[in-house]
């Protein structure tokens, strides 16, 4: 018996069209191949912000390692600066010039929350630190710490530092800072971080014989995001560990360098030295600046765009009478620290030149006529130098940020201190996974 033919076989109609292929139909491996070929960190962040699935693929440690291997030596893009004013209960964000001209950077800023909307209800906030795309904020009323990611638009942690067991003890924090997660920790990934709090405590010990004694103690307390817990060292007498003095002067705040945090020494020992906190050992090794660099505001320690530890020194060139006839010049010197061992490492002069760093009529007028102003190098992060021009004649200081590689000015604004640079981290740990 012959099978009856289907009517559709004689209708002459074309076969049904196949469903169109879209990006959503590709597997994660194919999407990763697309994303890994993007030219820069901002382009990756912009693409990852478009689709939730892409964010998940782009934030995996395996992908980030591969992306980093294919794009070595890229500087962390500067998005802007945070500073605090007396007229606001939260930090103010000042976008940098590249965010207006670069569509990828401007897209990252638009999709983020740089005005700190999720933390506006927490009361008066101050920026304690800014590192690797994260902000460390302190509530001035409760001393609670908040780690916030503006690009991911989320609060990463709300922390209350541990206190001394004696409730009557006078307890205060000398400063809190962000550092990366531990190297080699299996639980740590590119998204892990640690918060270091320097604590001081004054308590009175009453002896059975009737006498008493006041004890001043200090310690380090560290929060690790990979474990979600605090770890604190035992209390020790003040001076037993070479901890920096309380940061009473904002201009001498901490400086981030590869694997450590540095402060200019303000007490004891050599007057021309730095004290640093090693991120792995939690010790305080001393770093001696290069010869001829005096202790003061004219230099800062940080890192270049390829991650090398550097020291940037800027000094005024020429006399005041000669300045009237030309633009004010600044003598720029850049030293790199050798990579061999910690104890015997030496500084090597890598760059030396004169520059005016004027970007506008306002900057030129300030540098030409304001003789009382003093140059201060605030920070050096991923090859971007933040310089402050302080003058008693102005209510606010003038800040200029420029790249070490080509001396290109990327930001120029007036603000009151302290000022913190916000740069996209590398690798981009800021990509949210949810």
């Amino acid at each position: 018996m012959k099978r009856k033919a289907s009517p559709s076989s004689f209708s002459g109609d074309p076969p049904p069209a196949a469903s169109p292929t879209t990006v959503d139909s590709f597997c994660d491996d194919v999407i990763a191949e697309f994303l890994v070929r993007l030219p820069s960190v901002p382009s990756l962040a912009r693409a990852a912000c478009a689709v939730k699935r892409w964010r998940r693929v782009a934030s995996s440690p395996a992908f980030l390692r591969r992306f980093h291997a294919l794009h070595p030596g890229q500087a962390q893009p500067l998005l802007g600066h945070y500073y605090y004013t007396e007229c606001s209960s939260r930090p103010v964000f000042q976008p940098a010039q590249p965010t207006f001209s670069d569509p990828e950077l401007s897209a990252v800023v638009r999709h983020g929350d740089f005005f700190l909307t999720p933390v506006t209800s927490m009361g008066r906030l101050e920026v304690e630190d800014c590192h690797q795309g994260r902000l460390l904020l302190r509530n001035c009323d409760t001393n609670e710490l908040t780690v916030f990611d503006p690009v991911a638009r989320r609060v990463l942690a709300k922390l209350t530092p541990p206190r001394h067991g004696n409730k009557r003890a006078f307890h205060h924090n000398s400063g809190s800072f962000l550092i990366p997660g531990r190297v080699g920790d299996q639980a740590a990934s590119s998204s892990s971080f640690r918060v270091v709090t320097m604590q001081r405590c004054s308590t009175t010990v009453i002896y059975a014989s009737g006498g008493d004694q006041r004890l001043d103690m200090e310690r380090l307390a560290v929060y690790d995001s990979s474990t979600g817990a605090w770890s604190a060292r035992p209390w020790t007498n003040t001076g037993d560990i070479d901890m920096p003095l309380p940061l009473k002067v904002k201009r001498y705040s901490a400086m981030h360098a590869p694997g450590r945090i540095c402060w200019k020494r303000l007490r004891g020992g050599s007057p021309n030295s730095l004290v640093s906190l090693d991120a792995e050992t939690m010790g305080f090794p001393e770093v001696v600046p290069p010869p001829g660099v005096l202790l003061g505001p004219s230099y800062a320690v940080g890192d270049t765009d390829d991650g090398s530890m550097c020291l940037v020194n800027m000094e005024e060139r020429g006399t005041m009478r000669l300045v009237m006839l030309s633009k004010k010049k600044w003598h720029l010197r850049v030293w790199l620290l050798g990579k061999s061992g910690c104890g015997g490492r030496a500084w090597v002069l890598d760059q030396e030149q004169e520059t005016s760093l004027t970007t506008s009529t306002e900057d030129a007028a300030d540098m030409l006529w304001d003789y009382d102003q003093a140059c201060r190098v605030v920070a050096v992060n991923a090859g971007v130098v933040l310089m402050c021009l302080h003058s008693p004649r102005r209510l606010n200081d003038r800040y200029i940020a420029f790249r070490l590689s080509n001396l290109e000015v990327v930001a120029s604004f007036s603000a009151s201190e302290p000022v913190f640079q916000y740069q996209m981290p590398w690798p981009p740990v800021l990509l949210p996974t949810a």
Side-chain angles (χ1 to χ4, degrees), residues 19-28 30-31 53:
S19 58
T21 301
T22 63
V23 175
D24 294 334
S25 62
F26 293 124
C27 64
D28 290 353
V30 176
I31 294 177
R53 183 185 176 193

Side-chain angles (χ1 to χ4, degrees), residues 58-120:
S59 60
S60 67
F63 174 85
L64 293 177
R65 286 193 296 268
R66 185 182 176 193
F67 193 84
H68 183 271
L70 293 177
H71 304 78
Q74 283 196 2
Q76 301 176 18
L78 176 67
L79 297 185
H81 296 84
Y82 277 100
Y83 58 90
Y84 179 79
T85 64
E86 297 295 336
C87 301
S88 175
S89 61
R90 56 180 175 175
V92 177
F93 179 70
Q94 174 70 38
Q97 295 172 10
T99 60
F100 299 104
S101 57
D102 191 321
E104 295 177 343
L105 293 180
S106 61
V108 172
V109 174
R110 287 197 309 270
H111 285 87
D113 189 348
F114 288 84
F115 299 100
L116 315 181
T117 304
V119 297
T120 53

Side-chain angles (χ1 to χ4, degrees), residues 104-179:
E104 295 177 343
L105 293 180
S106 61
V108 172
V109 174
R110 287 197 309 270
H111 285 87
D113 189 348
F114 288 84
F115 299 100
L116 315 181
T117 304
V119 297
T120 53
S121 60
M122 297 181 182
R124 185 175 177 82
L125 299 174
E126 285 188 349
V127 178
E128 287 282 294
D129 197 10
C130 181
H131 188 54
Q132 289 193 327
R134 306 180 183 96
L135 287 173
L136 180 61
L137 306 171
R138 182 180 67 87
N139 189 312
C140 300
D141 300 322
T142 64
N143 283 327
E144 182 184 56
L145 300 175
T146 300
V147 183
F148 181 69
D149 187 338
V151 175
R153 307 172 62 96
R154 60 177 177 175
V155 175
L156 302 179
K158 290 185 178 181
L159 310 173
T160 301
R163 296 180 58 87
H164 192 276
N166 187 352
K167 296 182 179 180
R168 295 184 178 181
F170 176 74
H171 185 280
H172 67 278
N173 298 327
S174 298
S176 299
F177 314 98
L178 287 164
I179 60 176

Side-chain angles (χ1 to χ4, degrees), residues 6 48 61 72 171 187 223 274 317 341 351 364 432:
S6 172
H171 185 280
Y223 171 83
L274 296 166
R317 276 292 189 187
Q351 182 179 346

Side-chain angles (χ1 to χ4, degrees), residues 29-295:
D29 292 340
V30 176
I31 294 177
E33 291 298 324
F34 292 151
L35 296 178
V36 81
R37 286 169 171 78
L38 293 175
S40 64
V41 177
S43 60
L44 174 63
R46 184 181 183 184
C49 289
V51 183
K52 183 177 180 180
R53 183 185 176 193
W54 294 7
R55 292 199 296 268
R56 176 176 55 80
V57 173
S59 60
S60 67
F63 174 85
L64 293 177
R65 286 193 296 268
R66 185 182 176 193
F67 193 84
H68 183 271
L70 293 177
H71 304 78
Q74 283 196 2
Q76 301 176 18
L78 176 67
L79 297 185
H81 296 84
Y82 277 100
Y83 58 90
Y84 179 79
T85 64
E86 297 295 336
C87 301
S88 175
S89 61
R90 56 180 175 175
V92 177
F93 179 70
Q94 174 70 38
Q97 295 172 10
T99 60
F100 299 104
S101 57
D102 191 321
E104 295 177 343
L105 293 180
S106 61
V108 172
V109 174
R110 287 197 309 270
H111 285 87
D113 189 348
F114 288 84
F115 299 100
L116 315 181
T117 304
V119 297
T120 53
S121 60
M122 297 181 182
R124 185 175 177 82
L125 299 174
E126 285 188 349
V127 178
E128 287 282 294
D129 197 10
C130 181
H131 188 54
Q132 289 193 327
R134 306 180 183 96
L135 287 173
L136 180 61
L137 306 171
R138 182 180 67 87
N139 189 312
C140 300
D141 300 322
T142 64
N143 283 327
E144 182 184 56
L145 300 175
T146 300
V147 183
F148 181 69
D149 187 338
V151 175
R153 307 172 62 96
R154 60 177 177 175
V155 175
L156 302 179
K158 290 185 178 181
L159 310 173
T160 301
R163 296 180 58 87
H164 192 276
N166 187 352
K167 296 182 179 180
R168 295 184 178 181
F170 176 74
H171 185 280
H172 67 278
N173 298 327
S174 298
S176 299
F177 314 98
L178 287 164
I179 60 176
R182 290 188 178 276
V183 177
D185 190 348
Q186 297 296 329
S189 65
S190 58
S191 60
S192 65
F193 61 90
R194 287 175 290 169
V195 177
V196 178
T197 299
M198 296 182 175
Q199 299 183 323
R200 283 182 168 85
C201 175
S202 298
T203 184
T204 301
V205 178
I206 301 176
Y207 299 101
S209 59
D212 58 53
Q213 181 183 5
R214 178 177 174 177
L215 296 178
D216 295 327
M217 299 176 292
E218 58 189 3
R219 72 174 181 182
L220 288 179
V222 182
Y223 171 83
D224 195 331
S225 66
S226 61
T227 62
W230 286 92
S231 61
R233 287 188 172 185
W235 289 99
T236 181
N237 292 333
T238 302
D240 289 353
I241 56 178
D242 196 4
M243 191 183 292
L245 285 174
L247 304 179
K248 297 179 181 179
V249 184
K250 292 294 186 179
R251 68 184 59 186
Y252 291 107
S253 57
M255 300 172 289
H256 285 276
R260 67 183 67 191
I261 300 176
C262 297
W263 297 265
K264 295 173 183 178
R265 185 187 293 276
L266 300 180
R267 64 169 181 178
S270 172
N272 187 20
S273 62
L274 296 166
V275 60
S276 63
L277 171 65
D278 191 288
E280 290 303 311
T281 64
M282 289 296 152
F284 289 89
E286 183 176 310
V287 180
V288 180
V293 177
L294 301 178
L295 180 66

